[in-house]
Amino acid sequence: MILTDCHTHTQFSVDSEADIDLCVQRAAELGLAAYAITDHCECNGWYKEEHYPEKERYLRESFDYAADFEGSVSAVTALKEKWAGKLNLICGVELGQILQDTDAAKIVNADKRVDFIIGSVHQVMGEQDFYFIDYEKMTMDEIYDLLERYFKEVYEVSKTDFFDVLGHLTYCLRYMKQRNGINADISRFDDIIAEIFRNLALNGKGIEINTSGLRQGFGDCFPNLKYTKMYRDMGGEIITVGSDSHTVEDIAANSADGIGVARAAGFSRIAYFKKRKPYFIDIT
């Protein structure tokens, strides 16, 4: 089976220590048809810490993502030359919180070295990343209010042109289920999710099938088969598959499962990006 991995992190992501050279070597050993390094770049933390009001700094996991972005893109650009003809290496970025600093998003989008941009929402405006929220202190009404705000923000992101595929749509569920066993029913948000997908399809944008939930205790991909099929029903055509790896060992983890979800949803091909344009690989 042809495998790809279009969502991985190296030492240029604050939550990863995976050596970038070893990551590329591992991708080549696996014979991946496409391999994208997509280190974190959170728009709401683009500047150094002193740029932000002191009372708001707790909202950010880290600062100076501009430096992380430059470090990652420079390193991948050099590795693309080194591995030319041996690995289809893609210079990507996971761009978080696009609407919370569109000037930063514009800078990233203007960089011609970048092949591929995942648009993600890791935290709702005015809230910490979903990873840091203590869900045990919240009522279910409060949780559903947070989820509604999340999908509304993703909806606004879906109307922009600052990315190529929408990252891990159901990321908002990851930690409340993994850590606290909270199974929130997001079907109440299906109307707005359908509109998100409709916007993506109309704008020629894709979604990723993020396989990290399969190995991290969530038990499914982000998004699952239901929502992958909904994207197709809304006219979506572009699917990428990504492990969201933060270690060398997890590169391409469950890639075959992600491709299986795409196939079950009615897709006959998956995509990767070069110079911001999609290229397709048949999976049937």
Side-chain angles (χ1 to χ4, degrees), residues 58-61 121-139 142-150 153 171-182:
Y58 78 96
L59 294 172
R60 296 162 178 85
E61 179 183 5
V121 177
H122 296 118
Q123 58 188 117
V124 174
M125 194 172 297
E127 302 286 349
Q128 290 182 292
D129 190 304
F130 283 98
Y131 175 84
F132 295 105
I133 294 174
D134 186 350
Y135 300 101
E136 289 188 337
K137 293 182 178 179
M138 301 175 68
T139 67
E142 290 171 332
I143 286 173
Y144 281 121
D145 177 70
L146 178 65
L147 293 174
E148 182 176 13
R149 291 164 60 199
Y150 168 77
E153 189 159 337
Y171 170 82
C172 55
L173 304 176
R174 174 187 275 172
Y175 302 109
M176 64 177 70
K177 180 176 179 180
Q178 287 176 195
R179 292 199 300 250
N180 305 113
I182 298 171

Side-chain angles (χ1 to χ4, degrees), residues 140-207:
M140 285 307 298
D141 284 343
E142 290 171 332
I143 286 173
Y144 281 121
D145 177 70
L146 178 65
L147 293 174
E148 182 176 13
R149 291 164 60 199
Y150 168 77
F151 287 114
K152 285 182 176 178
E153 189 159 337
V154 175
Y155 172 76
E156 294 300 326
V157 169
S158 74
K159 296 191 290 185
T160 75
D161 197 37
F162 291 127
F163 65 99
D164 302 308
V165 304
L166 182 69
H168 48 44
L169 174 69
T170 47
Y171 170 82
C172 55
L173 304 176
R174 174 187 275 172
Y175 302 109
M176 64 177 70
K177 180 176 179 180
Q178 287 176 195
R179 292 199 300 250
N180 305 113
I182 298 171
N183 287 290
D185 179 9
I186 62 169
S187 62
R188 63 178 66 191
F189 306 115
D190 280 1
D191 287 347
I192 192 170
I193 293 173
E195 289 305 310
I196 289 168
F197 290 152
R198 192 187 309 276
N199 287 339
L200 296 176
L202 288 173
N203 294 329
K205 307 298 182 184
I207 65 168

Side-chain angles (χ1 to χ4, degrees), residues 63-278:
F63 302 90
D64 200 14
Y65 281 96
D68 293 341
F69 170 72
E70 180 57 38
S72 179
V73 170
S74 295
V76 177
T77 299
L79 286 166
K80 284 175 69 175
E81 183 174 346
K82 178 180 178 180
W83 286 85
K86 294 177 283 187
L87 176 66
N88 182 13
L89 181 58
I90 296 160
C91 183
V93 59
E94 183 179 11
L95 195 60
Q97 290 73 257
I98 287 170
L99 296 180
Q100 297 181 32
D101 192 333
T102 55
D103 286 341
K106 289 175 182 176
I107 293 170
V108 171
N109 274 261
D111 196 314
K112 299 301 182 184
R113 297 171 297 176
V114 175
D115 290 310
F116 175 51
I117 298 178
I118 299 171
S120 296
V121 177
H122 296 118
Q123 58 188 117
V124 174
M125 194 172 297
E127 302 286 349
Q128 290 182 292
D129 190 304
F130 283 98
Y131 175 84
F132 295 105
I133 294 174
D134 186 350
Y135 300 101
E136 289 188 337
K137 293 182 178 179
M138 301 175 68
T139 67
M140 285 307 298
D141 284 343
E142 290 171 332
I143 286 173
Y144 281 121
D145 177 70
L146 178 65
L147 293 174
E148 182 176 13
R149 291 164 60 199
Y150 168 77
F151 287 114
K152 285 182 176 178
E153 189 159 337
V154 175
Y155 172 76
E156 294 300 326
V157 169
S158 74
K159 296 191 290 185
T160 75
D161 197 37
F162 291 127
F163 65 99
D164 302 308
V165 304
L166 182 69
H168 48 44
L169 174 69
T170 47
Y171 170 82
C172 55
L173 304 176
R174 174 187 275 172
Y175 302 109
M176 64 177 70
K177 180 176 179 180
Q178 287 176 195
R179 292 199 300 250
N180 305 113
I182 298 171
N183 287 290
D185 179 9
I186 62 169
S187 62
R188 63 178 66 191
F189 306 115
D190 280 1
D191 287 347
I192 192 170
I193 293 173
E195 289 305 310
I196 289 168
F197 290 152
R198 192 187 309 276
N199 287 339
L200 296 176
L202 288 173
N203 294 329
K205 307 298 182 184
I207 65 168
E208 74 158 351
I209 297 175
N210 184 306
T211 65
S212 63
L214 294 174
R215 69 178 187 275
Q216 293 179 349
F218 184 81
D220 214 334
C221 295
F222 305 113
N224 62 15
L225 174 59
K226 170 187 171 178
Y227 290 106
T228 304
K229 187 177 186 302
M230 184 186 291
Y231 167 69
R232 183 175 180 273
D233 291 342
M234 292 298 106
E237 298 180 346
I238 300 172
I239 290 282
T240 62
V241 176
S243 67
D244 205 349
S245 66
H246 287 68
T247 67
V248 175
E249 294 74 20
D250 283 338
I251 290 172
N254 299 106
S255 178
D257 297 294
I259 291 171
V261 171
R263 186 184 294 113
F267 290 92
S268 60
R269 58 186 189 173
I270 57 173
Y272 65 88
F273 281 74
K274 280 293 183 75
K275 295 189 180 298
R276 308 295 303 278
K277 294 183 179 180

